[in-house]
Amino acid sequence: MSPNPEIVPFDMNRAEAFADTIGEILNAGAVASMMSLGHRLGLFDVLGNLPPATSDAIAGRAALSERYVREWLAVMVMGGIVTYDPDGQTYALPAEHAACLTREAPLGNLAVYAQAVAMIGQMQDALLERFETGEGLAYGDYPHFHDFMAEDSGQTVTAQLFDTILPLADGIGERLETGIDVLDAGCARGTALLALAQRFPNSRFAGYDLCEDAIAHATDAARAAGLTNLRFETRDLTGYDEKNRFDFITSFDAVHDQKDPQALIESLHGALRPGGLYLMQDIGGSARLENNTDFPMAALLYAISCMHCMPVSLGQGGLGLGTMWGWETAQTMLGKAGFKDVKRHVLPHDPMNVWFVARA
Ligand SMILES: C[S@@+](CC[C@H](N)C(=O)[O-])C[C@H]1O[C@@H](n2cnc3c(N)ncnc32)[C@H](O)[C@@H]1O
């Protein structure tokens, strides 16, 4: 549409600045998508463990094709991620960059989230169709979803479980030592439960999830670890109805993309014994769009919502609340379900999520 000069005078400087911004966005998107590839190929880990090296040496260490690796390195150099010395034709990942891009990254591995950007591209054709029909998608439609999810929760949940997360639930450490029944709802590959079951042998742990492949992975891991106090079950939590069965229930990033989050929260309330605790991690954005402009990685979160969280809920015939359903919505739902003493926390290591602790 051409601008109407009588209403708003066309500002050429503004238009040119905006075109520059779009150029930066295109560059950043390309770098993010290629970062995903580098992460999955282990290239950042190789670079993080090498002094400045030629593309030959890097490809050799990674057991990959030199020509492809050299082209990928060019993207990383243009993106300001890898440095290049033209004299020796060597590439290096500065230690400060490795600190948030490798599997041992002390600041958390942000390359994990680049996989979400790549996934948006992978899902583009399916989404084109869904925009027309309004239909949803199934978890199985997403390649590598559970790999991505396990890496995400591995660093935001499992790695912080004992020092940061469990202390949010008053007295739960002692009760777990003594021996209680615990459920993780929407556990996927169950990395948090595996760690809990190992640490607290007197307690009994259950993990339920819709996805058979994730549960098979979790079951194999429990068997390999020799854990007898942990069971995993493929289970659709829609209409879930077990009464007074657990003392402690957790859900990690597993409520907003359910078919009916309110019904799930109510059923979890019913599954808790009197005085039982619910620990719920979910995305911490606001329900109001205008409140999210400064929320960390808000555009990425809305994109993940549009690409995944909303369609998987719609695909179950659900409400499709989306990733940014809002902490206000979650808090209201907890109250409506009958939870008491609802406390909300935001943890420094995980600014994108909100943590609720509530009593049945
Ligand atoms: C975003 S993932 C989080 C997985 C896991 N808690 C983690 O932190 O890695 C959401 C999980 O909820 C599960 N889920 C979604 N709808 C479900 C349903 N109706 N019944 C059981 N699980 C469901 C999905 O299969 C998926 O594993």
Side-chain angles (χ1 to χ4, degrees), residues 166-175 180 244 246-250 265-266 268-280 330-331 333-345 355-360:
L166 286 186
L168 297 177
D170 228 7
I172 203 65
E174 293 77 15
R175 292 175 71 187
I180 56 174
N244 295 327
F246 297 102
D247 305 290
F248 183 42
I249 295 183
T250 57
I265 293 174
E266 281 170 17
L268 297 181
H269 181 266
L272 278 167
R273 295 182 177 129
L277 286 181
Y278 177 34
L279 172 70
M280 169 185 175
Q331 188 154 308
M333 286 185 178
L334 287 164
K336 200 170 156 204
F339 279 105
K340 295 186 276 294
D341 306 329
V342 178
K343 302 249 170 11
R344 180 166 61 96
H345 307 269
W355 294 81
F356 288 102
V357 181
R359 192 172 298 279

Side-chain angles (χ1 to χ4, degrees), residues 52 91 113 198 315:
Y91 303 82
Y113 304 102
Q198 237 150 5

